[in-house]
Amino acid sequence: MDENLNFEKMQEGIDKFNTKLNETKELLKSLKKSGNLTMSPFEIIKNENYLVIRVNIPRATMKDLENYTNALGDFDSYGVKNVIYDLSKVEHIDSTFLGQIILLLKKIMQMEGKVHIVSQNESVKSLFVLTRLLSLLRALPIFSSLDDAIANLWFIIINQKYNTN
């Protein structure tokens, strides 16, 4: 009789495990569909009016450039002229990676677009403040959150549309 009870308990445990496993699989599917599941060091999120380039590594260096350029692909194919670099997970940027940001900044400035930076890390912020390349302080506003950067960008986009019509 004890063997039957143990078997029933084991079967209950297996059923509970399978239920949780299926729930987890469904959650992963929904996260993947919504674009909230990060699968690489660089995540590109396209919106109708802007592109978010999310850097999901603590150190953005020369060794990451190939992955960055592969993830970004051809910028012109996105059909946007505004970019938000989400560097909220980044603790260090080397000069080579900074150079890539500046290259895209130049292209976007020629298109009369905007680039915003998101970071709360003082080291990352000070890099932009200390370099002062291309008047970075004016060309690259730094925000503490992605929501703040998006809100500011929408303000600029709406203002541009209002002033041109």
Side-chain angles (χ1 to χ4, degrees):
M1 193 108 189
D2 287 332
E3 289 178 16
N4 287 339
L5 288 176
N6 287 338
F7 178 75
E8 289 174 8
K9 285 183 180 181
M10 285 191 322
Q11 189 61 46
E12 283 178 29
I14 291 170
D15 291 343
K16 285 180 182 178
F17 174 80
N18 285 332
T19 300
K20 288 290 184 189
L21 180 62
N22 288 331
E23 288 173 3
T24 303
K25 285 180 181 179
E26 290 303 314
L27 177 62
L28 285 171
K29 281 182 193 177
S30 69
L31 286 172
K32 197 170 186 179
K33 283 181 185 177
S34 69
N36 292 329
L37 184 62
T38 302
M39 296 294 212
S40 70
F42 303 98
E43 185 178 5
I44 310 300
I45 304 163
K46 185 184 181 301
N47 181 284
E48 181 180 327
N49 294 296
Y50 60 88
L51 195 69
V52 175
I53 301 172
R54 184 172 289 151
V55 182
N56 296 313
I57 51 178
R59 298 179 60 81
T61 64
M62 179 173 46
K63 71 177 181 60
D64 303 303
L65 287 180
E66 185 176 349
N67 287 333
Y68 168 76
T69 54
N70 288 340
L72 184 59
D74 178 22
F75 176 75
D76 295 331
S77 68
Y78 292 104
V80 297
K81 64 179 185 176
N82 301 300
V83 171
I84 299 172
Y85 272 97
D86 184 354
L87 304 175
S88 55
K89 295 179 183 173
V90 176
E91 299 167 5
H92 171 78
I93 297 176
D94 74 1
S95 59
T96 307
F97 200 88
L98 177 63
Q100 288 298 307
I101 293 173
I102 292 169
L103 282 175
L104 190 56
L105 170 67
K106 285 181 180 180
K107 185 174 209 164
I108 291 169
M109 288 175 72
Q110 289 173 347
M111 300 166 59
E112 297 181 6
K114 300 290 180 194
V115 175
H116 287 6
I117 301 292
V118 175
S119 179
Q120 291 183 349
N121 184 291
E122 291 303 319
S123 172
V124 172
K125 286 184 194 178
S126 65
L127 175 68
F128 291 104
V129 171
L130 292 174
T131 55
R132 297 184 190 265
L133 296 170
L134 301 171
S135 300
L136 283 177
L137 291 177
R138 275 185 266 158
L140 287 173
I142 301 172
F143 297 90
S144 297
S145 74
L146 184 57
D147 289 341
D148 290 346
I150 290 171
N152 181 272
L153 192 56
W154 273 111
F155 177 77
I156 291 169
I157 291 167
I158 290 168
N159 199 19
Q160 288 171 343
K161 287 181 180 181
Y162 177 76
N163 288 331
T164 58
N165 291 333

Coordinates of all heavy atoms in Angstrom, one line a residue, residues 2-49:
D2 N 2.0 1.2 0.7 CA 2.9 2.4 0.8 C 3.5 2.7 -0.6 O 3.7 3.8 -1.0 CB 4.0 2.2 1.7 CG 3.5 2.2 3.2 OD1 2.6 2.9 3.4 OD2 4.2 1.6 4.0
E3 N 3.7 1.7 -1.4 CA 4.2 1.9 -2.7 C 3.2 2.6 -3.6 O 3.6 3.5 -4.4 CB 4.6 0.5 -3.4 CG 5.8 -0.2 -2.8 CD 6.1 -1.5 -3.4 OE1 5.6 -1.8 -4.5 OE2 6.8 -2.3 -2.8
N4 N 1.9 2.3 -3.5 CA 0.9 3.1 -4.2 C 0.8 4.5 -3.8 O 0.7 5.4 -4.7 CB -0.5 2.4 -4.1 CG -0.6 1.1 -4.8 OD1 0.2 0.9 -5.7 ND2 -1.5 0.3 -4.4
L5 N 1.0 4.8 -2.5 CA 0.9 6.2 -2.1 C 2.1 7.0 -2.6 O 2.0 8.1 -3.0 CB 0.9 6.2 -0.5 CG -0.4 5.8 0.1 CD1 -0.3 5.9 1.6 CD2 -1.6 6.7 -0.3
N6 N 3.3 6.4 -2.5 CA 4.5 7.0 -3.0 C 4.4 7.3 -4.5 O 4.8 8.3 -5.0 CB 5.8 6.2 -2.7 CG 6.1 6.3 -1.3 OD1 5.7 7.2 -0.6 ND2 6.9 5.3 -0.8
F7 N 3.9 6.3 -5.3 CA 3.7 6.5 -6.7 C 2.7 7.6 -7.0 O 3.0 8.4 -7.9 CB 3.2 5.2 -7.3 CG 2.9 5.3 -8.8 CD1 4.0 5.3 -9.7 CD2 1.6 5.4 -9.3 CE1 3.8 5.5 -11.1 CE2 1.4 5.5 -10.7 CZ 2.5 5.6 -11.5
E8 N 1.6 7.7 -6.3 CA 0.6 8.8 -6.5 C 1.3 10.1 -6.1 O 1.1 11.1 -6.9 CB -0.6 8.5 -5.6 CG -1.5 7.4 -6.1 CD -2.6 7.1 -5.1 OE1 -2.8 7.8 -4.2 OE2 -3.3 6.0 -5.4
K9 N 2.1 10.2 -5.1 CA 2.7 11.4 -4.7 C 3.7 11.8 -5.8 O 3.9 13.0 -6.1 CB 3.4 11.3 -3.4 CG 2.4 11.4 -2.2 CD 3.1 11.3 -0.9 CE 2.1 11.4 0.3 NZ 2.8 11.4 1.6
M10 N 4.5 10.8 -6.3 CA 5.5 11.1 -7.3 C 4.8 11.6 -8.6 O 5.2 12.6 -9.2 CB 6.3 9.9 -7.6 CG 7.3 9.6 -6.6 SD 8.6 8.3 -6.9 CE 7.7 7.1 -7.9
Q11 N 3.6 11.0 -8.9 CA 2.9 11.4 -10.1 C 2.3 12.8 -9.9 O 2.4 13.6 -10.9 CB 1.7 10.4 -10.4 CG 1.0 10.7 -11.7 CD 2.0 10.5 -12.9 OE1 2.7 9.6 -13.0 NE2 1.9 11.5 -13.8
E12 N 1.9 13.2 -8.7 CA 1.4 14.5 -8.5 C 2.6 15.5 -8.6 O 2.4 16.6 -9.2 CB 0.9 14.6 -7.0 CG -0.5 14.1 -6.8 CD -0.9 14.2 -5.4 OE1 -0.5 15.1 -4.6 OE2 -1.7 13.3 -4.9
G13 N 3.7 15.2 -8.1 CA 4.9 16.0 -8.3 C 5.3 16.2 -9.7 O 5.6 17.3 -10.2
I14 N 5.2 15.1 -10.5 CA 5.6 15.2 -11.9 C 4.6 16.1 -12.6 O 4.9 16.9 -13.5 CB 5.6 13.8 -12.5 CG1 6.9 13.1 -12.0 CG2 5.7 13.9 -14.0 CD1 6.9 11.6 -12.3
D15 N 3.3 15.9 -12.3 CA 2.2 16.7 -12.9 C 2.4 18.2 -12.6 O 2.3 19.1 -13.5 CB 0.9 16.3 -12.5 CG 0.5 14.9 -13.1 OD1 1.1 14.4 -14.0 OD2 -0.4 14.3 -12.5
K16 N 2.7 18.5 -11.4 CA 3.0 19.9 -11.0 C 4.2 20.5 -11.7 O 4.2 21.6 -12.2 CB 3.2 20.1 -9.5 CG 1.9 19.9 -8.6 CD 2.3 20.1 -7.2 CE 1.0 19.9 -6.3 NZ 1.3 20.0 -4.9
F17 N 5.2 19.7 -11.8 CA 6.4 20.1 -12.5 C 6.1 20.4 -14.0 O 6.5 21.4 -14.5 CB 7.5 19.1 -12.4 CG 8.7 19.4 -13.3 CD1 9.7 20.3 -12.8 CD2 8.9 18.8 -14.5 CE1 10.8 20.6 -13.6 CE2 10.0 19.1 -15.3 CZ 11.0 20.0 -14.8
N18 N 5.4 19.5 -14.7 CA 5.0 19.7 -16.1 C 4.1 20.9 -16.3 O 4.3 21.6 -17.2 CB 4.3 18.4 -16.6 CG 5.3 17.3 -16.9 OD1 6.5 17.6 -17.1 ND2 4.8 16.1 -16.8
T19 N 3.2 21.2 -15.3 CA 2.4 22.4 -15.4 C 3.3 23.6 -15.3 O 3.1 24.6 -16.1 CB 1.4 22.4 -14.3 OG1 0.5 21.2 -14.4 CG2 0.5 23.6 -14.3
K20 N 4.2 23.7 -14.4 CA 5.1 24.8 -14.2 C 6.0 25.0 -15.5 O 6.2 26.1 -15.9 CB 6.0 24.7 -13.0 CG 5.2 24.9 -11.7 CD 4.8 26.4 -11.6 CE 4.1 26.6 -10.2 NZ 3.5 27.9 -10.2
L21 N 6.4 23.9 -16.0 CA 7.3 23.9 -17.2 C 6.5 24.5 -18.4 O 7.0 25.3 -19.1 CB 7.8 22.5 -17.5 CG 8.7 22.4 -18.7 CD1 10.0 23.2 -18.5 CD2 9.0 20.9 -19.0
N22 N 5.3 24.1 -18.6 CA 4.5 24.6 -19.6 C 4.2 26.1 -19.4 O 4.2 26.9 -20.4 CB 3.2 23.8 -19.8 CG 3.4 22.4 -20.4 OD1 4.4 22.2 -21.1 ND2 2.6 21.4 -20.0
E23 N 3.9 26.5 -18.2 CA 3.7 27.9 -17.9 C 4.9 28.7 -18.3 O 4.8 29.8 -18.9 CB 3.3 28.1 -16.5 CG 1.9 27.6 -16.1 CD 1.7 27.7 -14.6 OE1 2.6 28.2 -13.8 OE2 0.6 27.3 -14.2
T24 N 6.1 28.2 -17.9 CA 7.4 28.9 -18.2 C 7.6 29.0 -19.7 O 8.0 30.1 -20.2 CB 8.5 28.2 -17.5 OG1 8.3 28.1 -16.1 CG2 9.9 28.9 -17.8
K25 N 7.3 27.9 -20.4 CA 7.5 28.0 -21.9 C 6.6 29.0 -22.5 O 7.0 29.7 -23.4 CB 7.1 26.6 -22.5 CG 8.2 25.6 -22.3 CD 7.8 24.2 -22.9 CE 8.9 23.2 -22.7 NZ 8.5 21.9 -23.3
E26 N 5.3 29.1 -22.0 CA 4.4 30.1 -22.6 C 4.8 31.5 -22.3 O 4.7 32.4 -23.1 CB 3.0 29.8 -22.0 CG 2.3 28.6 -22.5 CD 2.2 28.6 -24.0 OE1 1.8 29.6 -24.6 OE2 2.5 27.5 -24.6
L27 N 5.4 31.7 -21.0 CA 5.9 33.0 -20.7 C 7.1 33.4 -21.6 O 7.1 34.5 -22.1 CB 6.3 33.0 -19.2 CG 7.0 34.3 -18.7 CD1 6.0 35.5 -18.8 CD2 7.4 34.1 -17.3
L28 N 8.0 32.5 -21.8 CA 9.1 32.8 -22.7 C 8.6 33.1 -24.1 O 9.2 34.0 -24.8 CB 10.1 31.6 -22.7 CG 10.9 31.4 -21.5 CD1 11.7 30.1 -21.5 CD2 11.9 32.6 -21.4
K29 N 7.6 32.4 -24.6 CA 7.1 32.6 -26.0 C 6.5 34.0 -26.0 O 6.7 34.8 -27.0 CB 6.0 31.6 -26.3 CG 6.5 30.3 -26.8 CD 5.3 29.4 -27.1 CE 5.7 28.0 -27.3 NZ 4.6 27.1 -27.6
S30 N 5.8 34.4 -25.0 CA 5.1 35.8 -25.0 C 6.2 36.9 -24.9 O 6.1 37.9 -25.5 CB 4.1 35.9 -23.9 OG 4.7 35.9 -22.6
L31 N 7.2 36.6 -24.1 CA 8.3 37.6 -23.9 C 9.1 37.8 -25.3 O 9.4 38.9 -25.7 CB 9.3 37.2 -22.8 CG 8.8 37.4 -21.4 CD1 9.8 36.8 -20.4 CD2 8.6 38.8 -21.1
K32 N 9.3 36.6 -25.9 CA 10.0 36.7 -27.2 C 9.2 37.4 -28.3 O 9.7 38.3 -29.0 CB 10.3 35.3 -27.7 CG 11.3 35.2 -28.8 CD 11.7 33.7 -29.0 CE 12.9 33.7 -30.0 NZ 13.3 32.3 -30.2
K33 N 7.8 37.2 -28.3 CA 7.0 37.9 -29.2 C 6.9 39.4 -29.0 O 6.8 40.2 -29.9 CB 5.6 37.3 -29.2 CG 5.4 36.0 -29.9 CD 4.0 35.5 -29.8 CE 3.9 34.1 -30.4 NZ 2.6 33.5 -30.3
S34 N 6.9 39.7 -27.7 CA 6.8 41.2 -27.3 C 8.1 41.9 -27.5 O 8.1 43.1 -27.4 CB 6.3 41.3 -25.9 OG 7.3 40.9 -25.0
G35 N 9.2 41.2 -27.7 CA 10.5 41.8 -27.9 C 11.2 42.2 -26.5 O 12.1 42.9 -26.5
N36 N 10.6 41.7 -25.4 CA 11.2 42.0 -24.1 C 12.2 40.9 -23.7 O 12.7 41.0 -22.5 CB 10.1 42.1 -23.1 CG 9.2 43.3 -23.3 OD1 9.7 44.3 -23.8 ND2 8.0 43.2 -23.0
L37 N 12.6 40.0 -24.5 CA 13.5 39.0 -24.1 C 14.8 39.3 -24.8 O 14.9 39.2 -26.0 CB 13.0 37.6 -24.5 CG 13.8 36.4 -24.1 CD1 13.9 36.3 -22.6 CD2 13.2 35.1 -24.7
T38 N 15.8 39.6 -24.0 CA 17.1 39.9 -24.6 C 17.9 38.6 -24.9 O 18.1 37.8 -24.0 CB 17.9 40.8 -23.6 OG1 17.1 41.9 -23.3 CG2 19.3 41.2 -24.1
M39 N 18.3 38.5 -26.1 CA 19.0 37.3 -26.5 C 20.5 37.6 -26.9 O 21.2 36.7 -27.2 CB 18.3 36.7 -27.7 CG 16.9 36.2 -27.4 SD 17.0 34.8 -26.3 CE 15.6 33.9 -26.8
S40 N 20.8 38.9 -27.0 CA 22.2 39.2 -27.4 C 22.7 40.4 -26.7 O 21.9 41.1 -26.0 CB 22.2 39.4 -28.9 OG 21.5 40.6 -29.2
P41 N 24.0 40.7 -26.8 CA 24.5 41.9 -26.1 C 24.0 43.2 -26.6 O 24.0 44.2 -26.0 CB 26.0 41.8 -26.4 CG 26.3 40.6 -27.2 CD 25.0 39.9 -27.5
F42 N 23.4 43.2 -27.9 CA 22.8 44.4 -28.5 C 21.4 44.1 -28.9 O 21.2 43.1 -29.6 CB 23.7 44.9 -29.6 CG 25.1 45.1 -29.2 CD1 26.1 44.2 -29.5 CD2 25.4 46.3 -28.6 CE1 27.4 44.4 -29.1 CE2 26.7 46.5 -28.2 CZ 27.7 45.6 -28.4
E43 N 20.5 44.9 -28.5 CA 19.1 44.7 -28.9 C 18.6 46.0 -29.6 O 18.9 47.1 -29.1 CB 18.3 44.6 -27.6 CG 16.9 44.3 -27.8 CD 16.1 44.0 -26.5 OE1 16.8 44.2 -25.4 OE2 15.0 43.7 -26.5
I44 N 18.1 45.8 -30.8 CA 17.6 46.9 -31.6 C 16.1 46.9 -31.6 O 15.4 45.9 -31.9 CB 18.1 46.8 -33.1 CG1 19.6 46.5 -33.1 CG2 17.7 48.0 -33.9 CD1 20.4 47.6 -32.5
I45 N 15.5 48.0 -31.1 CA 14.0 48.1 -31.0 C 13.6 49.2 -31.9 O 14.0 50.4 -31.7 CB 13.6 48.4 -29.5 CG1 14.1 47.3 -28.6 CG2 12.1 48.5 -29.4 CD1 14.1 47.6 -27.2
K46 N 12.8 48.9 -32.9 CA 12.4 49.9 -33.9 C 11.0 50.4 -33.5 O 10.1 49.7 -33.3 CB 12.4 49.4 -35.3 CG 12.1 50.4 -36.3 CD 12.0 49.8 -37.7 CE 11.6 50.9 -38.8 NZ 10.4 51.6 -38.6
N47 N 10.9 51.7 -33.6 CA 9.6 52.4 -33.4 C 9.4 53.2 -34.7 O 10.3 53.4 -35.5 CB 9.6 53.3 -32.2 CG 8.3 54.1 -32.0 OD1 8.0 55.0 -32.7 ND2 7.6 53.6 -31.0
E48 N 8.2 53.6 -34.9 CA 7.9 54.4 -36.2 C 8.8 55.6 -36.3 O 9.2 56.0 -37.4 CB 6.4 54.8 -36.1 CG 6.0 55.6 -37.3 CD 4.5 56.0 -37.2 OE1 3.7 55.2 -36.6 OE2 4.2 57.0 -37.7
N49 N 9.1 56.3 -35.2 CA 9.9 57.5 -35.3 C 11.3 57.5 -34.7 O 12.0 58.4 -34.8 CB 9.1 58.6 -34.5 CG 7.8 58.9 -35.2 OD1 7.8 59.4 -36.3 ND2 6.7 58.6 -34.5

